Each structure stands twice: as C-alpha cells, then as structure tokens.
Amino acid sequence: MDFTRGDNSFYTEENGKLLAEITWVPQGDTVAVDHTFVDPSLRGQGVAEQLVDRVVEEMQKEQKKIKPVCPYVVELFKRKPDKYEHVQSFD
C-alpha cells in the first residue's frame, strides 16, 4: 500500500476518507510514535504494520530512533524485537 507523507505522519485516503494513518511527535533525535489508525475495512491485512515499517524506514534515513507510545506500536515492538530493536529508543 502507498502512503502519503504528511506533517509528522504517513496516511492513505480514498475519495477524501482517511483509511490509515500513523503519527509521531519529534523529540530531538527521537520520535514518539503516538497514534495508529486503520479503517475497519482494511483491518487484518497487515496495514498497521506496513505503516510502522514506513516510519521505521523514514527514521532510519533521518538517523532517528523511535519511542513507541501508541499501544499497537508498543506491542508490535515487543512481539518482533529482531525486526525493530535496532531503531527503538529505550529512554
């Protein structure tokens, strides 16, 4: 799925309707990922993890760490440490 970069977010829309979004708050060399939303019509298709992966990709380019705040992201980072611990901030 393709995501559009917004101000501190990635999202996708269809006909003006928000279908998926992830947001973060910059904190110096770290970003706090604080919100993930996926429309019920897309749930169970891995879209939320795709959003997280897109943020991870972008923050690696910017040489920033990610502090998981959103409950989904916290759980995903716990479930898949091999995939995410290299970019996770443990502050």
Side-chain angles (χ1 to χ4, degrees):
M1 179 169 283
D2 292 327
F3 301 110
T4 302
R5 171 91 189 241
D7 291 336
N8 302 320
S9 69
F10 284 106
Y11 64 93
T12 190
E13 294 179 331
E14 186 175 282
N15 300 323
K17 179 183 178 186
L18 183 65
L19 295 178
E21 176 183 53
I22 191 165
T23 62
W24 63 87
V25 178
Q27 300 177 336
D29 61 353
T30 301
V31 297
V33 177
D34 62 347
H35 173 73
T36 306
F37 164 78
V38 176
D39 187 78
S41 67
L42 295 176
R43 291 192 183 149
Q45 299 177 39
V47 174
E49 188 168 345
Q50 290 175 42
L51 283 165
V52 172
D53 290 347
R54 186 64 187 91
V55 172
V56 167
E57 179 184 318
E58 191 68 21
M59 292 310 120
Q60 285 180 302
K61 287 180 190 174
E62 296 180 19
Q63 298 181 339
K64 294 184 178 183
K65 294 286 188 178
I66 295 173
K67 179 180 178 182
V69 177
C70 165
Y72 172 78
V73 181
V74 169
E75 185 57 35
L76 183 63
F77 276 35
K78 283 182 188 174
R79 232 179 34 243
K80 298 186 175 185
D82 292 346
K83 186 174 181 181
Y84 297 110
E85 72 181 358
H86 71 284
V87 75
Q88 184 174 357
S89 171
F90 293 96
D91 295 347

